[in-house]
Structure formats: structure tokens, C-alpha cells
Amino acid sequence: METYYKVLNYNGSCYHSGHGSWPLPVNDQPGDWVPTLEGRLVPCHHGYHILRRQDLVSWLGPTIYTVEVMGGITWDTDK
């Protein structure tokens, strides 16, 4: 099973542009699930930006979290 990652600011907001903020872990418990998106996944336009291990060096930032994925995944060249 592959591990996926999300790079964020310390307050959970998106570090590399994007909108909104992500629910962060509290007291060693995972953050809440983010809402499921409707429609077709389109990299950089519609979907959540997550990374594979080999992509991290291109997207380093203040914090890096492991994430769980439920549903479909579509990949671009480095995300």
C-alpha cells in the first residue's frame, strides 16, 4: 500500500496556492475527512492535490502530513 502526502502551512492552509485549509491532526488523532468532490478529477483544476514520496522534493514546505485516500486517484507528472 502506497503512502501519500500533503504539504501545508502550519495552520493547515495550502502552501503552494490553492484554497481553504485542511483539518489537522489533534492529540495524535487524525484530522477529519475532507468533503468528497463530485465530478471528474482534473489535475490542478478539480480534485485534491496529494503527493507520492518521489514527488515530495519538488513540493517541500513548512509541514508534510501523510494522508489517506478514499475514492479515485488521477496522476499528473509530479502530483
Side-chain angles (χ1 to χ4, degrees), residues 11-74:
N11 65 359
S13 63
C14 298
Y15 181 68
H16 295 284
S17 66
H19 321 301
S21 61
W22 288 60
L24 299 177
V26 176
N27 297 327
D28 295 325
Q29 296 298 310
D32 292 334
W33 284 94
V34 294
T36 301
L37 296 175
E38 298 294 325
R40 188 171 67 100
L41 299 175
V42 180
C44 296
H45 296 285
H46 186 74
Y48 295 115
H49 180 195
I50 61 171
L51 305 167
R52 299 166 290 194
R53 184 174 184 212
Q54 65 264 30
D55 304 324
L56 281 173
V57 72
S58 298
W59 295 95
L60 292 177
T63 62
I64 300 172
Y65 294 93
T66 57
V67 297
E68 295 181 49
V69 176
M70 182 184 343
I73 295 177
T74 187

Side-chain angles (χ1 to χ4, degrees), residues 3 5-6 8 25 30 44 56 75:
T3 302
Y5 303 90
K6 181 70 181 170
L8 299 169
C44 296
L56 281 173
W75 295 109

